Amino acid sequence: MANSDSSNNFDYLYKKENKVRCLQCGRCAAGCPAAHVFSEYNPREVMRRVQDGEEHELHKDPIIWLCGQCYTCNSRCPRNNNPASIILQARERAYKQGHAPAEIYQQSAALLESLFLNGVTVSPVLLKEKLGVLSELVDVERLTKLRAELGLPEHNSREVPIPAKAIKQIRTIITSTSGQGERANDA
Amino acid sequence: MSRFGVFLCRCDGNISNTVNIDRLEKHFSQTCVVETDQHLCSLQGQQKIKNSIRKHDLQGVVVAACSPNNHGKTFRKCLSDTGLNPYLLELANVREQCSWVTKDQKSATRKARDLVNASIQRLQHAEPLSEFLVGVTNAALVIGGGIAGITAALSLAENGIKTYLVERQPSIGGNTVRIGKVFSPHKMVEECAMCSLSPLMNDVYEHPNITLLTNAEVTSVIGTAGRFSVDIKIKPRSVNERCTSCGECATVCPIEVADWWNANTRNRKAIYKPFPQAVPDRYVIDIENCVKCGKCSKACKSKAIELEAEPSLQKVKVGAIVLATGHEEFDPSLRPELGYARLDNVITQLELARIIGVNGPTNGELLRPSDGAKPSKIIMIQCVGSRDEKPNGLHYCSSVCCMVALKHANYISDYSPGTQISVLYTDIRTPGIYENYYRHVQDKGVRFIRGRASEVKQKAGKLYVSVEDTLRSKCVELDADLVVLSTGMLPSKGTVELAQKLGIELSEELFVKEKHPKLEGASTSIKGIYVCGTAQGPKDITYSVLQADAASLEALSLIGQGSLSIEPLSAFVKDSCNGCGICVRHCRNNAIKIVDRAATIDPMLCTGGGACIHACPTGALDLHNSTEAQLEASIRGMLAGKVNGEIRNIAFLDSKIGYAAADNIGASKLQYPSSVRIISVPSVLRLAPRHIDLAFKLGADGVFIGQGFEAESCGENFESVESKLNNLSASVAQLGIDPARLKIYRVYIPHFVGLHKRLMQFDKGIRQNDEPSDELALRSET
Amino acid sequence: MTLEALISSRAKLPERLYLFKSCVAGTFYPGIERSFRFILNSLNVDYFDDPSQSSCTGFGVHCGMVPPQTNLTLNARNLTLASESGYTNVVCTCPTSYANLKECVNELSDTSSRAAVNDVLKQVGLEYNGGVTVYHAAEVLYVIKDSLAERAKSSLSQLKIATHHGCHYTKVFYDQVIGGLWEYPHLLDDICTTFSATLVDYSERSLCCGMGFTNLMSTNDYSAVTSLRKLESILADKPDVIVTMCAGCQLALDRFQKKYERRLGYTAPVLNVSQLVAILLGADKTKDACLQFGTINTGSIVNKLEAL
Ligand SMILES: Cc1cc2nc3c(=O)[nH]c(=O)nc-3n(C[C@H](O)[C@H](O)[C@H](O)COP(=O)(O)OP(=O)(O)OC[C@H]3O[C@@H](n4cnc5c(N)ncnc54)[C@H](O)[C@@H]3O)c2cc1C
Ligand code: SF4
Ligand code: SF4
Ligand code: SF4
């Protein structure tokens, strides 16, 4: 059974107790690599919006996809806030409600399929044009060749694939916590 | 109907919003005289109590209100005013330990009912007692010779009190010596700290009523208000009075050590004079670093050097103590992103003070450490370590650092014109007339950027500070030649150590806690011990001096009373004593003597901890106001009326620290389950296995013992209290009680948050029926 | 407890290690895990290389694609496998797995979360009961660094090294970093100096490598700009090698160097600390350490190793 709004029950990735106490000091922003690259992104402003009660609107704003999830903001904040986790929660909500960028859905299809089929999130086979710019950055041909030389599988990041019994457990868990593969599992 | 009166206080909603007072009134009216009031502590409230005592000819009184630590005395006086013995009073703490810690009305009301019930039961065993008078020693001790301690010592001495001033360092003066210039609220210029301090230091030295002990530390304090006995250990100075301060010795000494008086910006020798105006005006050997080569002895023409001098011990008796042990700086290397200790040109405000100070490493010239060049761009970073909740951070505002940055910015603008100064701040805090200073410095062209610096980096020899100008939403990297960190203030190690030794309460931040933050700002949790200066909280010189005057006034009025009435809370001997003398060994205060084959107890020496009581094989000893009967009644009362399935956990807390910490939990409105019932004992040494056993027999699910006090625990030291407690839990285990149901927690200092966590965890553990794990304790102590 | 005491209390070699495999390492740099196994084998450290463990899904979580409850439950399964095998000290080579698993262990100490998770685990015949501790592989190397140095066949005395500690090791559970404070960790530096390396400090020490999860796959500039910033700073003092403790960091620093080779003007191969230590202990460069997977040629390092 899929949980319709996971943030109600499973918001453990998201530290909430201090958000209203944000000092607006900008320590997070000054260290943030994303704020350095994008003028429209600023974790302090994200915190301000949270303080102003807009936290459940954040997921509609495409800026949430600019954060690099480096957690510098988390390690710098004098009030123990964690803007990165607020972004994370907004992303999750956006993803679920259809606000994520199209490329995210394409990539997620590949990653989640890999997780479902082989129990691993990233695997070499995905690089074949499924992971956007990453596929360009990596010299896939060379990687494939080197892996083949060592006798490593092409479709799996594991040297020893996960045994079938374990894969079955993994699929059951994915299906009952996210609904993914509901039909596949029935079959 | 008994002739007991029960008085229920609503405390203007503080109690009655959670505890249903009407219900309690109805409940207790069946057995006692009951009255309620909005404010029992008010004059009208007190009058109500007195009238009722007279009208009903009451034989005993229960007041259900706030903690006995607040108004216990007031209510006792109500009894004595009407001729009733004041010890026929029981207080039920239904505010700090009930209404403030319980959300649910039903549970709060039920708990309050039980607390009152327990008090009534205990009252049935109360005995009338009378206080006695002791003389007060006409002398005072001031610990710490900074500006606060100096001020306090001088005011006491001026008022004719023999005063001992104990300073750890070889000279008095403290941090004020190091800061060089001081901001002045009225004039927009910086005054010289030494110009105000030096005459005061000389007054201390010359005052006939002051005995100055430098290089000295207090090692133990026993006794109570009016009659403290203090041991002071004096490190050898190794240079006697013949020293003329010529300094020949230092020129030949081969050992160099970082100089604390110059904030380690330069070195001094192992034989040195702290600073030119030092008091006493004499050289001193730092024996930790001296190699005893004897070169100085040869160089000294006055034969003042005594290399083989030994430490000495001085014992003094005083009526009152003033703590003025000050503060230290936050160590900025705990925030390595700011570069301190890694990058030469990142310094603290204190180091800057030394650099621009005439006696400093550059003789007052503003030069940066790396290459001695004159910095043209200076960035000051505010709130370093302050208002910071990361590990080791100070959660509070250090109060003075904004003013310190303004002071230095102003001074540099005046004396090194053309220097560009930027202050990166979180908020500028210049309360009251200090705002004038802020405006003045703004006029000087100092830049203020609102943002807390995130990182200091060095690229190609230049410093860059990352900060967001939050008012423009712009993240920038500002270059600088010199970066100055405005580090926070924390209580000095000496403050914390001494407070622990004396057993006085510290705040959560480890500053000495005032008895009442508004009304008794210079008193501590122990009568006769007062506090002033930065030992009590971050503050500037002005407020340190004001508080020093307040502390000395308090000490004066205590000493001026000539005699004090002492609560009769000592141990006493019943008739079954056979003179075996076992108890004598258990009293470290030497209060017990065997006279004519029977023990006698000196109530002046006994501190009332009760360790001797269960040492006696014939059960001949008991403790006033915490008799066996009273203690048993408390246990019974707290467990009475327990229903099926209900959980009750008894927490025995020592009346000084443990109990006060529990009150602080309430004052901070931290919640805990109403199953926790607190019984105050004079010291946990009062507890015998039979008490724990009784609690379990009467249905307690768990017993928690909170030990927070050493000095008053019958003079025992910590280790021995510890081992006695271990014996206690071993004997309890022998009685067949699951050891998981008994937990002993040490409250080193009244770190009430730690106690709260422990209580919560203990209660949870008992509920889950498994042993509470120790994990949390570890975390709460880091 | 002081921070130092806390650090030293954590700095003990955990016994019976459960090797937690990383999908990014397995895909791009198989030498990381092979090297780590080689090191453990050569010191006879007892470990369990369980094939049944799934990905931690952290990569997907940070992209917002994996629901938290899927993450928590899959990892509860992984942690249960560890505790049931008796190898209760989970060691990750990936900082994201490290942080993610730690987060899960914390969350699972909450009784209601644990109950919810166990409800699902019941379907696959498992029950999570705690008792598992999570470490990063570099922490293990750090605590045994002296024994490693004793067994080294060559030294790093001819090499100038710059290190990068992964953000998900230093900045998520910042208070649990060993080897320095989180803002200036020197865990990797300390390992390298044990083998007599010279270290090169650089100004952007705490900056992200640029990996950036979604950003690495997207057309925005986050990864390229950040990685370049990082690389320019690292390469300023011309280190011979960049040592990391994360396959993702290695990926970003290695591939972006290749991409911007001309602009940077100088390059330095990137190695995981396990790869480096393994070759010092005599591992095969191709079969064990798999140095050939680096896009910046690693030959220069091998040439500079000083035989002992
Ligand atoms: C950089 C900086 C600049 C400042 N500038 C100003 C300013 O311009 N104006 C202003 O008003 N305030 C200023 N302040 C604040 C000022 O320094 C303090 O308010 C003042 O020093 C407090 O004095 P004190 O006597 O309470 O403590 P301290 O000066 O700390 O003195 C405490 C003394 O107690 C001694 N001691 C400690 N423990 C023991 C022990 N166990 N036994 C015996 N002796 C012990 C210490 O050795 C020390 O001599 C500044 C503070 C800083 C950090
Ligand atoms: S660092 Fe923390 S307190 Fe400061 S603006 Fe960012 S979230 Fe707020
Ligand atoms: S986690 Fe995101 S918001 Fe936080 S510092 Fe990194 S990039 Fe910026
Ligand atoms: S006084 Fe100013 S610099 Fe100091 S902690 Fe307070 S706000 Fe920060």
Side-chain angles (χ1 to χ4, degrees), chain A residues 131-142:
Chain A
L131 297 185
V133 182
L134 175 58
S135 304
E136 286 167 35
L137 186 67
V138 177
D139 184 344
V140 182
E141 225 168 274
R142 179 168 173 267

Side-chain angles (χ1 to χ4, degrees), chain A residues 28-29 31-35 41-44 46 66-74 82-85 87 91, chain C residues 168 171 208 215 222:
Chain A
C28 50
C32 171
Y41 186 73
N42 181 320
R44 177 187 53 79
V46 169
L66 299 175
C67 159
Q69 289 289 297
C70 72
Y71 280 66
T72 305
C73 47
N74 178 52
N82 186 359
S85 68
I87 292 293
R91 281 186 182 179
Chain C
H168 284 194
K171 297 174 184 172
C208 162
N215 291 321
Y222 178 93

Side-chain angles (χ1 to χ4, degrees), chain B residues 32-87:
Chain B
C32 303
V33 175
V34 183
E35 304 247 19
T36 70
D37 198 83
Q38 208 55 23
H39 286 294
L40 276 177
C41 61
S42 67
L43 284 178
Q44 290 84 342
Q46 295 177 37
Q47 202 50 49
K48 198 179 241 176
I49 298 177
K50 291 185 209 169
N51 290 346
S52 181
I53 294 174
R54 290 198 184 99
K55 179 169 162 210
H56 301 284
D57 190 18
L58 295 178
Q59 291 174 331
V61 169
V62 171
V63 174
C66 54
S67 166
N69 286 336
N70 297 332
H71 294 301
K73 290 232 167 77
T74 314
F75 296 127
R76 260 192 200 159
K77 189 155 178 301
C78 292
L79 273 68
S80 49
D81 283 355
T82 57
L84 194 60
N85 186 287
Y87 289 85

Side-chain angles (χ1 to χ4, degrees), chain B residues 460-475:
Chain B
K462 214 164 177 62
L463 295 174
Y464 293 87
V465 182
S466 319
V467 66
E468 186 196 4
D469 182 341
T470 57
L471 302 179
R472 301 183 67 183
S473 287
K474 243 179 147 158
C475 298

Side-chain angles (χ1 to χ4, degrees), chain B residues 143-149 166-169 171-176 179 181-183 216-218 260-261 324-329 349-350 353 400 404 407-408 434 487-489 492-495 497-498 532-535 539-542 544:
Chain B
I143 311 175
I147 186 81
V166 173
E167 168 58 54
R168 209 177 227 186
Q169 297 270 4
S171 171
I172 51 173
N175 277 300
T176 307
I179 62 179
K181 303 277 181 286
V182 289
F183 49 79
E217 255 173 80
V218 169
W260 180 87
W261 295 95
T325 41
H327 66 276
E328 54 196 52
E329 272 194 297
Q349 291 287 4
L350 193 63
V400 303
V404 172
K407 165 180 78 170
H408 285 157
Y434 285 153
T487 49
M489 249 190 208
S492 70
K493 275 182 208 76
T495 299
E497 282 164 22
L498 207 60
C532 57
T534 46
K539 55 173 75 71
D540 66 3
I541 293 172
T542 313
S544 298

Side-chain angles (χ1 to χ4, degrees), chain A residues 1-4 6 9-13 15 27 31-34 36-38 65-77 80 88 91-93 95-96 103-105 107-109 111-112 115 119-125 127 131-139 142-143 146-147 149-150 152 156-163 165-174 176-178, chain C residues 21-30 33-34 37 50-74 77 81 100 103-104 107 113 116-117 120-121 123-126 167-168 170-174 182-183 206-208 211-222 225-226 229 251-252 255-256 259 286-287 290-295:
Chain A
M1 154 220 63
N3 199 327
S4 58
S6 68
N9 303 318
F10 285 89
D11 51 0
Y12 63 92
L13 294 169
K15 217 192 297 168
R27 219 173 173 237
C32 171
H36 193 271
V37 182
F38 311 108
W65 299 97
L66 299 175
C67 159
Q69 289 289 297
C70 72
Y71 280 66
T72 305
C73 47
N74 178 52
S75 73
R76 292 269 161 88
C77 174
N80 284 343
L88 193 54
R91 281 186 182 179
E92 197 221 326
R93 192 187 294 262
Y95 178 79
K96 205 172 303 147
E103 53 183 10
I104 294 287
Y105 290 107
Q107 293 151 7
S108 78
L111 292 164
L112 295 179
L115 185 64
V120 294
T121 318
V122 176
S123 53
V125 70
L127 290 166
L131 297 185
V133 182
L134 175 58
S135 304
E136 286 167 35
L137 186 67
V138 177
D139 184 344
R142 179 168 173 267
L143 185 66
L146 290 173
R147 291 184 63 89
E149 278 168 19
L150 284 183
L152 295 170
N156 199 334
S157 61
R158 290 287 175 84
E159 291 195 32
V160 181
I162 301 177
K165 183 177 161 241
I167 290 286
K168 213 168 152 212
Q169 293 183 338
I170 294 166
R171 288 184 192 166
T172 307
I173 291 173
I174 296 176
S176 43
T177 53
S178 74
Chain C
K21 284 165 286 287
S22 147
C23 56
V24 176
T27 300
F28 299 101
Y29 300 99
E33 274 156 16
R34 286 190 171 195
R37 279 189 220 112
D50 184 5
S52 297
Q53 154 241 325
S54 74
S55 261
C56 80
T57 81
F59 193 92
V61 169
H62 289 285
C63 296
M65 319 170 164
V66 173
Q69 63 269 50
T70 304
N71 179 56
L72 187 65
T73 318
L74 278 179
R77 174 181 171 276
L81 295 182
N100 188 13
E103 198 90 64
C104 291
E107 179 59 21
S113 297
V117 158
V120 180
L121 285 186
Q123 298 177 36
V124 299
L126 294 173
C167 293
H168 284 194
T170 58
K171 297 174 184 172
V172 183
F173 290 94
Y174 49 78
W182 67 98
E183 286 285 4
S206 72
L207 181 62
C208 162
M211 200 280 270
F213 300 92
T214 52
N215 291 321
L216 190 64
M217 303 181 289
S218 123
T219 44
N220 80 41
D221 286 341
Y222 178 93
V225 173
T226 308
R229 255 176 97 195
L251 179 64
R255 309 287 158 149
F256 279 110
K259 184 165 175 187
T286 313
K287 290 206 190 87
C290 309
L291 297 187
Q292 67 276 24
F293 280 74
T295 28

